[in-house]
């Protein structure tokens, strides 16, 4: 197994933060890659699910370009790819397309062909976030907006505007409920 597979998320974020801090003016990107294979969980047993993840991880190992790039497993079906020294948005999209291309050929699991489809969320630093946690958040928001089957989504601030509004309004609404300051009106149509 590769060393990055077992790297704890905290360690990945620490390394990511170090790389962002050491070169704050250099454009970098984080891709969150969510893999789906359309099989029911456990269809091949736990060892089959593990084998699918291992084969998928091996495909992803060929995507990074430089030693400065990092690949980490976030959870069972999600990976993060940090790409340093990005020349611009087209460069980031090209890396995402390399990920999609890595899964164009189905995985071979005990003579069964398993088609894995990635969804990819992209975020850049320093444009969209300048901390590791912020960059990861932006890429995770973007991956939820990507369509399945090779969908690629680049983070835009309006993508999580609803979440920001809920964080801002939540405490005020809880206080209004606690103080009985809300009135409910029903308007039949």
């Amino acid at each position: 197994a590769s060393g990055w597979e077992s790297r704890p998320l905290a360690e990945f974020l620490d390394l990511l933060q170090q790389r962002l801090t050491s070169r704050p003016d250099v454009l970098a990107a984080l891709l969150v890659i969510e893999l789906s294979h359309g099989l029911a969980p456990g269809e091949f047993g736990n060892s089959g699910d593990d084998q699918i993840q291992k084969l998928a991880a091996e495909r992803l190992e060929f995507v990074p370009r430089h030693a400065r790039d990092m690949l980490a497993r976030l959870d069972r079906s999600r990976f993060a790819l940090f790409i340093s020294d990005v020349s611009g948005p087209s460069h980031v999209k090209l890396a995402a397309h390399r990920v999609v291309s890595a899964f164009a050929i189905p995985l071979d699991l005990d003579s069964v062909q398993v088609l894995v489809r990635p969804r990819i969320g992209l975020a850049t630093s320093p444009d969209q976030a300048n901390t590791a946690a912020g960059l990861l958040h932006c890429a995770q928001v973007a991956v939820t907006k990507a369509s399945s089957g090779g969908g690629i989504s680049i983070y835009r601030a309006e993508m999580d505007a609803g979440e920001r509004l809920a964080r801002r309004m939540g405490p005020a609404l809880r206080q209004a409920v606690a103080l009985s300051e809300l009135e409910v009106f029903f308007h039949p149509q």
Side-chain angles (χ1 to χ4, degrees), residues 110-175:
D110 298 328
S111 300
V112 175
Q113 299 296 302
V114 178
L115 183 61
V116 173
R117 292 174 301 279
R119 288 192 323 165
I120 304 166
L122 310 168
T124 58
S125 174
D127 298 343
Q128 295 156 339
N130 56 8
T131 66
L135 196 59
L136 179 60
H137 169 78
C138 292
Q140 287 180 321
V141 167
V143 81
T144 63
K145 305 299 182 189
S147 63
S148 59
I152 300 168
S153 177
I154 299 173
Y155 176 81
R156 293 180 319 279
E158 61 268 13
M159 286 180 168
D160 64 346
E163 182 182 319
R164 284 193 311 271
L165 179 61
R167 280 195 310 262
R168 200 172 65 240
M169 296 295 294
L173 284 172
R174 282 190 290 282
Q175 181 180 7

Side-chain angles (χ1 to χ4, degrees), residues 13-33:
L13 289 174
D14 286 345
L15 288 170
L16 180 55
Q17 187 61 50
Q18 289 172 19
R19 296 201 181 162
L20 293 173
T21 304
S22 69
R23 302 177 77 195
D25 297 329
V26 174
L27 187 62
L30 185 67
L31 286 67
V32 169
I33 304 156

